[in-house]
Amino acid sequence: MTGDELRKAFLTFFESKGHTVVPSSSLIPQGDPTLLLTTAGMVQMKPYFLGLAVPSNTKLTSCQKCFRTTDADSVGDNRHLTFFEMLGNFSVGDYFKKEAIEWGWEFVTEWLKFPHDRLWITIFLDDDEAMVHWRRMGVPTERIVRLGEKQNFWGPAGDSGPCGPCSEIHYDFGPEFGCGQSGCSPECECGRFSEIWNLVFMQFNQDVQGQRTPLPKPNIDTGMGLERVAAIMQEKRTVYETDIFAPLVAKVAGMTGKHFGKDEGVDRSIRVIAEHARGITFLIADGVVPGNEGRGYVLRRLLRRTALFGRKLGLEEPFIGVLADFVVERMGHVYPELRQNQEMVRSIVNLEEKRFGEALNSGLNALDKVMEAAGSDKRIRGEDAFMLYDTYGFPKELTVEVASERGFAVDVDGFEREMERQRERARAAHKFGGGDKTELKAYEQLGITASGFVGYETCCHESVVMGLIAGGKPVDSVSEGDEVEVVLKDSPFYGEMGGQVGDTGEIRSAQGRISVRQTIRPLPDLIVHQGKVVQGHIAVSDSVVAEVDIKRRLDIARNHTATHLLQSALRAVLGQHVRQSGSLVTPDRFRFDFNHLEAVGKQRLLEVQQLVNEKIRENLPVMASVTSYKEAVARGATALFGEKYGDEVRVLQVGDPPFSVELCGGTHVHSTGEIGLLHIVSEESVGSGLRRIEAMTGRAAERLVEERLSELDSLAAQLQTMPERVQAKVASMADELERERKRALAVERETARRAAGSLLSEARDVNGIQVISTKVTATSADAMREMGDRLKEELKSGVIVLGGVCDGKPSLLAMVTPDLVAKGFNAGQVVKELAKVVGGGGGGRAELGQGSGKDAGKLDEALKQVDRLVEVHYDRASGTWKK
């Protein structure tokens, strides 16, 4: 059974048991701040298990892309993987232990045909219910092992979440592959047993303090590693020999000219490259870009580790992009996002590998010097490890790995201290959020997990108050002056979501009025209105009228629809690799982040803007419809990276035939003509391979154009010309100014040269050295250099120091003739000392030094130090300058 056949068999089996197949979610977890990356199939099921969302079917199955960073340093052996596929079946308050065990046994014995006597079971210590069900399947008691919490209690996936006891199915390769001990069982780590399936009986929710409370309904979460089971099915001892990995391993071997299976050192390098190539490709395809924090750091670390091991095998030129293309070729039929984003994957990989490749040799040489300096201590200081990271881009883990191969340890704690110091220096980086926030518990105490949204149809709606929160707690009523959060039965207010800010407006009743300043969604389906009671009082069960600020809503709608037009225009102009990575839609402007490796450029940015405005003038219809996720994707709808979508999705289509088709739950205009005008304000980099456009539409764009035209009219009046002639007039004036500047500079230089002649008489003998040090009138450093050159030319041998005030600041210049340079005199050192007197700094070469300061009043004092410096530092006996 191939990997593809195994994947299909699993999903088909559980479909036959009434499960709905759900597509794999992104490796970027949606709405779960406790997780860096998706680590298990249950991650996208978590809202269902917690009762925060309702699935279309209480029985679900999936093949989930997973990535676990804990195994990254171990990749290279025969077992560990960072990226893998997890097959799973899930019950959301439907079936429990009995069915999970029965179906698990049926699949492995009847569909996969595993011999019964090759299968062992582990259960949690006191899980007698699981023991009864496994015995009913015919599993002998001696092949059912009770284990403790460390082995057989699962979760949560992060700091908090669903968890519970578990039962594992293990495959026995036979005693000949084990330790030979009579009591050898799945608890033994000798390699005889391989865990193939983990059945987790979700009974509890664990909070961040570690407290467990029973879930409203127990659930089932199972996980089977596709690669590991494929190895058993194909009678291979490692995943690298299966049809999933073998072609990739052969590709790497062919590129390096090495033979896999003859040398363990070579084999390890090939395994690292092959495994990481898969992880890199999937991470980028799901929207991760290289960076120095979080997911970006994980990706960068993988890319650089791969580059290092490639170098070990003689791959001097960039090669990871070739492997990424091969991964897409092998797996694109299962995960279409690989093919859709292939160009982006290749571009980001090539750019990152090229950047690191330039520093790799230098970094390895620096590491050699660090280890050489450490000597017999065999310990690399944290400061040195940080230097390798900060200067050469060596991730800490890479330094540890290379050093350990040579018998060196790394002071990791010291590295982290240096890293924290750097973070403190960069605290200016903004943080999201801020201010007091109501805890999730307060919303849960309301007993309301969903409220209706009618804002697509109307902006004014009669409703009923279902819940009130004041001071972070549920209350029955609120009065004038109270800050409050309101939950209505149905609301026309859009809760902040998907990058679109929440609505503002009013909630009115016969007894009171609330000014709504923000609308949020603390739970996926719960709309909460935040505001202040400005009149009277409001109570739970009151009938109210909820009215959105319509002008503000329309401004937001114009900007939101414009983001859809912008994405399609960017793809048309820059290429189909462009995908949205984030957005912020406000009434005044919008921000749109997208993946692209270089600055868009003024001309192409203008093309994008012109294309969007062309579509606005065409007044294309904007049509929303609800359909299945599969149908939407089949229609070519664009989905946001990392966003989790339900079985039913809202599709927004602009134009017929469509210019844009996206999955979107936001509010929009009815036709593009309502947008009026789009004007791009800026385009900039916000990270490696990530760009950001800020733009305005509608009323804000009109105001911007009016302000710019008014400024142009004002400037034209000052220049005494017509607005259309301003650019030519400014260019003409700039040319004239440049000519005058050059003429003035020539006059100044000539004046300086003449003034230099009169300064020759001020030369004096200091210990046999001709010295000129004086204050001069010069408006620029160029004029001072001109004067110095003339003096140096006429003096033949000597030390020249000039001081002047340029642009209000003291400026210093020192020159030393070649004969004295040969004896050790150094103009840069002289200026360095003198600049300290005027509160500044300086330096330079032996023959020429320059400096400046802040205190022009001390310039004379500084110049008086010149003779002392010559006397102190020049040794006549040796004929050299004492440093």
Side-chain angles (χ1 to χ4, degrees):
M1 195 178 272
T2 66
D4 284 349
E5 290 168 343
L6 175 58
R7 187 188 302 107
K8 183 178 180 181
F10 185 93
L11 298 177
T12 300
F13 173 80
F14 279 101
E15 267 193 308
S16 74
K17 302 297 182 183
H19 291 62
T20 296
V21 177
V22 296
S24 171
S25 63
S26 169
L27 287 172
I28 302 176
Q30 175 60 27
D32 191 341
T34 68
L35 278 180
L36 183 70
L37 292 162
T38 298
T39 56
M42 66 79 57
V43 169
Q44 67 167 314
M45 311 297 173
K46 190 173 175 179
Y48 304 145
F49 290 158
L50 290 174
L52 302 179
V54 179
S56 60
N57 186 351
T58 52
K59 293 185 285 191
L60 306 167
T61 185
S62 71
C63 180
Q64 174 65 48
K65 300 175 291 187
C66 297
F67 195 101
R68 293 183 180 173
T69 59
T70 52
D71 294 331
D73 295 329
S74 301
V75 168
D77 62 9
N78 287 322
R79 298 174 53 211
H80 291 91
L81 301 174
T82 55
F83 173 81
F84 60 96
E85 297 176 80
M86 182 177 285
L87 301 164
N89 60 289
F90 309 90
S91 163
V92 185
D94 192 298
Y95 60 86
F96 200 45
K97 294 182 184 180
K98 177 178 179 293
E99 293 85 352
I101 289 172
E102 287 177 356
W103 291 337
W105 188 253
E106 180 183 350
F107 182 72
V108 297
T109 58
E110 297 183 23
W111 284 58
L112 301 188
K113 307 296 183 184
F114 285 164
H116 291 214
D117 60 359
R118 289 280 188 177
L119 300 174
W120 287 61
I121 307 299
T122 65
I123 60 174
F124 190 53
L125 280 173
D126 60 1
D127 197 347
D128 295 331
E129 182 184 358
M131 170 65 85
V132 169
H133 292 311
W134 283 118
R135 291 290 293 116
R136 286 181 58 251
M137 295 297 99
V139 182
T141 305
E142 60 270 20
R143 290 213 305 276
I144 303 176
V145 182
R146 292 180 184 266
L147 297 176
E149 186 161 320
K150 183 179 179 181
Q151 298 92 346
N152 275 66
F153 194 96
W154 193 92
D159 297 328
S160 61
C163 57
C166 62
S167 181
E168 300 170 342
I169 303 176
H170 291 256
Y171 185 83
D172 183 1
F173 288 105
E176 65 273 23
F177 293 101
C179 58
Q181 300 294 319
S182 58
C184 185
S185 75
E187 188 177 11
C188 185
E189 296 182 358
C190 63
R192 171 180 169 179
F193 298 91
S194 176
E195 176 203 329
I196 59 173
W197 205 346
N198 189 5
L199 314 179
V200 182
F201 311 127
M202 290 288 187
Q203 297 174 243
F204 308 103
N205 180 51
Q206 178 174 306
D207 62 24
V208 291
Q209 284 78 38
Q211 298 297 314
R212 293 172 185 160
T213 54
L215 289 169
K217 291 183 179 180
N219 307 298
I220 289 294
D221 157 35
T222 82
M224 171 188 282
L226 174 72
E227 294 84 355
R228 188 178 293 183
V229 177
I232 297 172
M233 294 295 296
Q234 296 171 27
E235 298 183 336
K236 306 296 184 183
R237 287 294 291 160
T238 78
V239 297
Y240 292 99
E241 300 170 63
T242 65
D243 76 300
I244 297 171
F245 268 104
L248 188 53
V249 166
K251 180 74 172 178
V252 177
M255 292 172 67
T256 60
K258 307 292 184 181
H259 294 283
F260 186 73
K262 292 190 175 182
D263 178 273
E264 177 52 30
V266 170
D267 289 356
R268 180 169 182 266
S269 295
I270 291 176
R271 287 192 292 263
V272 167
I273 294 169
E275 198 283 336
H276 285 359
R278 289 208 321 160
I280 288 165
T281 306
F282 274 90
L283 283 172
I284 298 175
D286 272 0
V288 180
V289 294
N292 292 328
E293 297 289 343
R295 303 177 188 110
Y297 180 73
V298 171
L299 173 58
R300 176 162 285 168
R301 179 178 157 196
L302 252 64
L303 279 160
R304 296 186 174 185
R305 190 169 189 247
T306 306
L308 176 65
F309 277 90
R311 189 64 58 89
K312 288 183 177 182
L313 296 183
L315 295 173
E316 298 290 333
E317 298 298 321
F319 65 93
I320 305 175
V322 175
L323 295 178
D325 284 341
F326 190 73
V327 171
V328 173
E329 179 186 324
R330 295 286 305 173
M331 303 192 71
H333 66 289
V334 181
Y335 298 103
E337 63 270 23
L338 293 179
R339 287 176 176 164
Q340 293 166 5
N341 301 307
Q342 183 171 5
E343 184 180 341
M344 177 186 70
V345 172
R346 187 190 307 118
S347 298
I348 289 177
V349 164
N350 289 343
L351 179 62
E352 182 73 9
E353 188 177 8
K354 181 182 178 184
R355 285 175 177 170
F356 183 57
E358 292 168 353
L360 183 55
N361 284 335
S362 300
L364 289 172
N365 291 335
L367 180 54
D368 285 340
K369 290 177 182 177
V370 167
M371 289 189 286
E372 186 179 329
S376 59
D377 187 38
K378 293 281 185 176
R379 184 173 177 80
I380 295 175
R381 299 183 311 149
E383 296 95 320
D384 293 327
F386 180 77
M387 177 274 294
L388 291 166
Y389 164 79
D390 199 38
T391 305
Y392 301 104
F394 269 47
K396 169 191 65 182
E397 297 80 4
L398 205 61
T399 299
V400 170
E401 186 164 8
V402 175
S404 65
E405 292 175 355
R406 305 258 296 267
F408 281 76
V410 177
D411 178 9
V412 175
D413 291 339
F415 174 91
E416 295 298 344
R417 284 193 296 273
E418 293 297 319
M419 194 72 187
E420 183 56 32
R421 289 191 186 105
Q422 187 190 60
R423 290 192 185 105
E424 288 173 2
R425 290 191 293 267
R427 288 296 187 217
H430 75 276
K431 296 180 180 179
F432 292 102
D436 295 331
K437 291 185 179 180
T438 303
E439 293 185 5
L440 192 61
K441 181 170 61 177
Y443 301 117
E444 294 171 347
Q445 288 173 350
L446 287 174
I448 308 168
T449 60
S451 51
F453 176 62
V454 296
Y456 294 136
E457 297 83 26
T458 181
C459 284
C460 187
H461 182 72
E462 294 182 2
S463 190
V464 176
V465 177
M466 302 297 291
L468 296 168
I469 293 176
K473 297 178 181 178
V475 295
D476 293 327
S477 64
V478 287
S479 302
E480 187 172 328
D482 288 346
E483 296 286 339
V484 64
E485 296 183 70
V486 186
V487 177
L488 303 178
K489 181 180 179 182
D490 301 296
S491 174
F493 284 74
Y494 183 87
E496 182 170 351
M497 184 175 63
Q500 178 177 325
V501 298
D503 281 330
T504 62
E506 276 192 354
I507 297 174
R508 302 186 298 272
S509 74
Q511 296 80 29
R513 181 164 59 92
I514 294 172
S515 175
V516 179
R517 66 172 180 273
Q518 170 65 309
T519 309
I520 63 171
R521 285 178 179 257
L523 301 175
D525 298 316
L526 184 66
I527 300 172
V528 175
H529 312 75
Q530 297 177 324
K532 185 176 184 178
V533 183
V534 294
Q535 183 182 331
H537 58 86
I538 299 281
V540 174
S541 300
D542 278 358
S543 295
V544 295
V545 173
E547 186 171 5
V548 174
D549 181 338
I550 185 65
K551 287 186 176 180
R552 183 176 181 275
R553 161 71 79 82
L554 289 174
D555 286 337
I556 293 171
R558 292 183 187 99
N559 281 333
H560 201 157
T561 306
T563 66
H564 290 223
L565 295 177
L566 179 64
Q567 174 161 224
S568 293
L570 285 167
R571 288 165 69 87
V573 174
L574 303 182
Q576 293 301 305
H577 66 282
V578 170
R579 296 292 293 268
Q580 179 180 346
S581 296
S583 67
L584 176 64
V585 179
T586 73
D588 303 318
R589 62 176 59 205
F590 70 84
R591 187 175 73 206
F592 185 85
D593 294 347
F594 61 99
N595 55 284
H596 192 60
L597 290 172
E598 58 188 2
V600 175
K602 186 176 179 180
Q603 183 56 42
R604 288 197 294 177
L605 204 60
L606 186 59
E607 289 178 37
V608 170
Q609 180 173 288
Q610 289 171 342
L611 180 55
V612 172
N613 282 315
E614 179 184 320
K615 297 304 173 183
I616 291 173
R617 289 191 297 274
E618 290 177 7
N619 198 27
L620 302 175
V622 178
M623 301 162 286
S625 61
V626 176
T627 185
S628 70
Y629 179 83
K630 288 183 178 179
E631 173 62 25
V633 172
R635 284 171 54 188
T638 301
L640 181 63
F641 282 136
E643 190 77 30
K644 184 182 183 301
Y645 298 98
D647 294 326
E648 283 196 338
V649 293
R650 186 168 182 260
V651 181
L652 196 86
Q653 178 176 320
V654 180
D656 189 15
F659 176 68
S660 166
V661 183
E662 293 190 30
L663 305 186
C664 183
T667 58
H668 292 268
V669 297
H670 295 98
S671 60
T672 60
E674 296 175 36
I675 298 171
L677 169 72
L678 174 133
H679 182 79
I680 294 175
V681 177
S682 66
E683 189 272 339
E684 62 182 350
S685 169
V686 288
S688 179
L690 197 62
R691 310 296 301 180
R692 171 173 293 169
I693 283 177
E694 290 202 11
M696 295 178 174
T697 67
R699 295 191 298 170
E702 285 178 16
R703 284 194 299 270
L704 179 67
V705 171
E706 288 166 1
E707 289 168 3
R708 296 281 172 87
L709 288 175
S710 177
E711 290 171 0
L712 182 62
D713 288 341
S714 177
L715 184 59
Q718 291 182 50
L719 296 175
Q720 297 180 345
T721 188
M722 300 296 291
E724 60 269 23
R725 294 286 301 159
V726 164
Q727 185 174 354
K729 185 67 178 280
V730 169
S732 174
M733 292 176 67
D735 289 342
E736 186 178 343
L737 283 171
E738 179 62 16
R739 287 193 298 272
E740 287 300 311
R741 189 190 69 81
K742 289 179 178 179
R743 189 185 67 80
L745 184 60
V747 170
E748 185 178 33
R749 284 178 173 174
E750 181 58 31
T751 302
R753 291 183 68 83
R754 289 176 181 175
S758 63
L759 294 177
L760 284 171
S761 61
E762 297 185 22
R764 59 193 178 277
D765 185 288
V766 179
N767 286 349
I769 303 297
Q770 288 290 98
V771 175
I772 294 177
S773 60
T774 186
K775 187 175 180 180
V776 298
T777 302
T779 58
S780 68
D782 285 343
M784 289 178 66
R785 277 196 298 272
E786 193 76 33
M787 198 176 294
D789 286 338
R790 172 70 187 277
L791 288 170
K792 184 177 173 183
E793 181 183 319
E794 294 291 337
L795 199 59
K796 306 298 183 187
S797 176
V799 174
I800 302 153
V801 180
L802 303 179
V805 180
C806 302
D807 297 325
K809 293 182 180 180
S811 183
L812 290 161
L813 172 97
M815 288 184 172
V816 176
T817 55
D819 60 316
L820 296 181
V821 168
K823 291 184 178 182
F825 280 82
N826 190 303
Q829 289 294 330
V830 171
V831 167
K832 185 177 181 182
E833 291 297 320
L834 298 179
K836 293 176 182 176
V837 180
V838 294
R845 306 187 305 275
E847 65 274 13
L848 173 65
Q850 289 179 284
S852 62
K854 300 175 183 176
D855 191 349
K858 291 188 176 181
L859 187 57
D860 289 332
E861 182 183 338
L863 291 171
K864 289 177 182 178
Q865 305 293 321
V866 174
D867 288 1
R868 183 185 61 81
L869 288 174
V870 174
E871 290 172 350
V872 170
H873 293 291
Y874 184 67
D875 183 3
R876 288 179 63 88
S878 61
T880 60
W881 182 275
K882 282 187 176 180
K883 297 182 181 179

